[in-house]
Amino acid sequence: MSRSLSRRSVLATTAAAATAAAVGPLATATAAHAAPTLPDGTSKDKVLVVGMDGLRHDVIAAAKAPHLKSMMANGTYGTSLLYADPMAATSSGPGWSTISTGVWPDKHGVKENSFAGKNYGKYPGFLARLAQVRPQLSTYAAVDWKPLDAQGTVTPGADAKLVLDGDADGYTGHDATIAAETESILRNQNPDVLFVYFGQTDIAGHNSGAASAAYREAIDVQDGYLGRLLTAIRARPSYATERWTVIVTTDHGHTDSGGHGGSAIEERRTFVLAQGPGIAVGARPADTRLVDVAATVYRQLGIVPDPAWGLDGKPIQVRSTDPFEALYPALAGRTDETGIPAGILGWTRTAPSGWSVVNSAMGTGGVAEWRGWSFATDEFWSRSQRDQSRELNVRSRGIFAVADSDEWDDKASSGPYDSTLVTPAYAVGGTSTVTLGFTTHYRQEGSQSARVLASWNGGTPVEVKRYTSDVISQPQALTLDVPAGAANVSFRFHYTGSNNWYWVIDGVKVTAV
């Protein structure tokens, strides 16, 4: 939700009124509220998505939260970090747009809470997409942050919706109304897909901070609502023949003192928690991202996304097969990066099997973590220096390769930054073309260079791509003709710099046809 003073003043003034209302007239209204009648559902595969605004996942452990903790034990729980400006602020407009559409802000266009530039026509929310491709599904949405309806972020496509105004009336009572109506629908009707939103965690974060007892209490209240919804699902007469998936997620984190929108790690914290058919029990994947919610909804409904949808997400149960993902046992804590907490294991210079790093032309000294191509996690690398667009490396997952001459030069060094990352040799005999696919995040400055080279049959590497301008976390595909007589090809990523910026490589895949 908004960081603006006007919004925060609204939060402060409505919180007390909302608390009183929840045990007074509003509670009565909640009990008397009549749920809408939905079309009868048509699917045995059913999905409930529960959004909890501003819920910083690392605080859940300190709360009671028995239902969230039960889902963590019995489902898959992936945590990750958000973008920051200039891609988008860590605020609700971009966050819920990312969750609903399954694409990052550079596609859906929402950068802050004005929703200026929104591109839901090309990248609709998952309820709107379901209305297009599976209109027979019975769908429902309930929100009490009104822009999620008014701006078209979540509710379009729903057969029925409940829209309340938490800013005007207080989120405490309206969250209770949403819980009661959704519980009634789950018990007494036959919905297929539901999205429900609870906002009070964000209010408690703004008013009291994420380190406060009030914030933990707000988590516990919403955890209680989650428990009621789970109980309602299990109480359904047809439950034994249904396949239910429940997903819980959030749009951003909060600072300890309260607030979000900036680039601090605490503001960037998000999670996707899912339990259901085909979703591993007790899994803690490191390659999950916030865009994965929509993709998981489609997967659980048996819908194969059209590539034209341009989704950035993948189902939560699908693991990345990138070669760098094998490096987790090699990850170490900080050496020279003293600003990164000591307990974070997030970097190594050990290359995956079959790969190598050539530093024969590399200078000496410098920050040890970045002396030539290294392999790192978002949690580690983006902490090395804030607000230099490292936070924008959103399409990398898990562990990625990074050459960072800017950070390397933060400690005394001599000579150039000159390092080459070399892939294994891939068989291409009998094929006509080979495609090198990867994701890159590159910032250009000065005389630095970033080149991709191909070596056929171990011969002299030939440049096939050179970067001369920024490429902010985008997929790449280089298709080359296979020379006559070539049996194999290896690729090199050669980066040079002098206290310039950086180059990230991830998701490397080679396909020969």
Side-chain angles (χ1 to χ4, degrees), residues 47-50 52 55 57 60 65-79 223 226 230 245-250 270-276 279-280 282-285 288-290 292-293 296 316:
V47 181
L48 168 65
V49 178
V50 179
M52 298 185 178
L55 176 51
H57 63 75
I60 295 174
H67 305 292
L68 285 166
K69 292 175 181 177
S70 175
M71 282 190 63
M72 292 174 189
N74 294 289
T76 294
Y77 175 49
T79 63
D223 181 84
L226 173 63
L230 293 172
T245 297
V246 178
I247 303 169
V248 183
T249 190
T250 193
T270 59
F271 69 93
V272 182
L273 171 60
Q275 182 177 343
I279 296 175
R284 298 289 187 273
T288 298
R289 288 286 203 171
L290 198 61
D292 295 345
V293 173
T296 303
I316 194 172

Side-chain angles (χ1 to χ4, degrees), residues 421-447:
L421 175 65
V422 185
T423 76
Y426 301 93
V428 295
T431 65
S432 57
T433 63
V434 61
T435 299
L436 170 65
F438 58 97
T439 296
T440 199
H441 181 51
Y442 176 70
R443 288 197 68 190
Q444 172 69 33
E445 183 187 64
S447 60

Side-chain angles (χ1 to χ4, degrees), residues 21-33 177:
V23 297
L26 198 53
T28 302
T30 297
H33 188 84
T177 300

Side-chain angles (χ1 to χ4, degrees), residues 63 123 197 217-218 245 279 295 303 356-357 390 400 430 462 499 501:
Y123 302 105
Y197 165 98
E217 290 166 3
T245 297
I279 296 175
I303 295 170
S356 62
V357 175
R390 290 176 180 84
F400 47 83
V462 176
N499 192 24
W501 284 125

Side-chain angles (χ1 to χ4, degrees), residues 217-468:
E217 290 166 3
I219 293 174
D220 288 338
V221 170
Q222 290 180 183
D223 181 84
Y225 296 151
L226 173 63
R228 286 169 55 185
L229 302 184
L230 293 172
T231 298
I233 289 173
R234 290 190 291 266
R236 292 171 55 80
S238 52
Y239 176 69
T241 64
E242 295 172 345
R243 295 175 293 272
W244 276 93
T245 297
V246 178
I247 303 169
V248 183
T249 190
T250 193
D251 55 334
H252 55 72
H254 259 285
T255 63
D256 283 350
S257 59
H260 57 85
S263 61
I265 288 288
E266 293 75 18
E267 298 168 273
R268 295 173 59 212
R269 294 207 183 280
T270 59
F271 69 93
V272 182
L273 171 60
Q275 182 177 343
I279 296 175
V281 172
R284 298 289 187 273
D287 61 345
T288 298
R289 288 286 203 171
L290 198 61
V291 287
D292 295 345
V293 173
T296 303
V297 171
Y298 300 136
R299 171 68 170 265
Q300 297 306 96
L301 294 170
I303 295 170
V304 178
D306 187 328
W309 297 358
L311 293 185
D312 289 319
K314 63 176 180 59
I316 194 172
Q317 62 267 56
V318 175
R319 298 280 65 79
S320 298
T321 57
D322 185 277
F324 307 143
E325 299 304 286
L327 297 178
Y328 282 99
L331 295 180
R334 70 188 190 194
T335 298
D336 292 332
E337 287 281 12
T338 56
I340 299 174
I344 296 176
L345 305 181
W347 78 283
T348 181
R349 284 202 302 273
T350 300
S353 176
W355 292 64
S356 62
V357 175
V358 178
N359 283 337
S360 56
M362 185 75 192
T364 60
V367 174
E369 287 88 336
W370 318 117
R371 190 175 297 137
W373 280 97
S374 298
F375 307 91
T377 65
D378 193 24
E379 177 87 14
F380 192 91
W381 184 58
S382 67
R383 280 181 178 268
S384 64
Q385 181 62 55
R386 282 170 57 180
D387 299 321
Q388 293 181 340
S389 294
R390 290 176 180 84
E391 300 90 352
L392 276 53
N393 187 34
V394 292
R395 290 185 176 86
S396 288
R397 291 177 179 262
I399 298 173
F400 47 83
V402 57
D404 192 333
S405 69
D406 175 67
E407 278 301 297
W408 175 70
D409 199 59
D410 283 354
K411 187 176 179 181
S413 62
S414 63
Y417 188 108
D418 190 323
S419 184
T420 303
L421 175 65
V422 185
T423 76
Y426 301 93
V428 295
T431 65
S432 57
T433 63
V434 61
T435 299
L436 170 65
F438 58 97
T439 296
T440 199
H441 181 51
Y442 176 70
R443 288 197 68 190
Q444 172 69 33
E445 183 187 64
S447 60
Q448 76 179 25
S449 67
R451 301 186 302 147
V452 183
L453 303 101
S455 172
W456 306 96
N457 293 341
T460 302
V462 176
E463 181 179 310
V464 294
K465 174 73 173 179
R466 178 186 292 259
Y467 291 94
T468 58

